[in-house]
Amino acid sequence: YGPYRNVWGLRLSDDGAHAAWAAIAAGDPTAAWAYYVDGRAVVGGFTEAWRPRLDATNRRLAWLGRRGDRIRLGLDARQHASVDEVLWGPKFTDATHLTWVVRRGHNVVRLDVRFD
């Protein structure tokens, strides 16, 4: 896969058959971070990226990346929230829930996203 100018946060699926990572595409000095699964771009446009996570079925990608002054949290190509800080996660807690513990202002909350 590639070529990339930079790669970060490589994570293998539980069965080792798939890989997810964040990367900056080669050739464009202004390119932003994007998340990839098995070489396919899923979501991008980040100035900073953290390690992604695949669910047990290898069909879902959880990610967090910075755009502007906020950290964005998402599942696959969809953003679900923007926060000040991520304290824990992402973690697929069961077959239909994704969880983070985050800080928004002075509040620490558990953020659960349900998916089917």
Side-chain angles (χ1 to χ4, degrees):
Y1 304 113
Y4 305 112
R5 184 166 44 106
N6 203 348
V7 176
W8 167 249
L10 178 66
R11 182 178 303 264
L12 296 177
S13 61
D14 291 344
D15 64 4
H18 301 277
W21 62 88
I24 297 175
D28 182 357
T30 63
W33 289 96
Y35 285 98
Y36 295 82
V37 175
D38 296 334
R40 177 183 52 87
V42 176
V43 63
F46 303 103
T47 57
E48 190 174 355
W50 284 265
R51 191 172 184 204
R53 182 171 298 255
L54 290 166
D55 77 335
T57 68
N58 302 320
R59 293 190 309 240
R60 300 287 189 161
L61 176 72
W63 52 266
L64 50 151
R66 184 178 301 281
R67 284 190 189 134
D69 62 346
R70 305 284 288 176
I71 298 171
R72 315 301 169 136
L73 311 176
L75 178 65
D76 303 325
R78 183 173 175 209
Q79 176 183 315
H80 286 276
S82 66
V83 300
D84 296 318
E85 183 179 10
V86 176
L87 304 172
W88 181 84
K91 180 174 174 88
F92 290 94
T93 53
D94 61 36
T96 61
H97 288 89
L98 174 61
T99 299
W100 291 272
V101 175
V102 300
R103 181 181 62 80
R104 290 180 175 162
H106 297 294
N107 298 314
V108 173
V109 297
R110 176 179 165 157
L111 177 64
D112 292 310
V113 172
R114 180 177 167 82
F115 61 91
D116 294 321

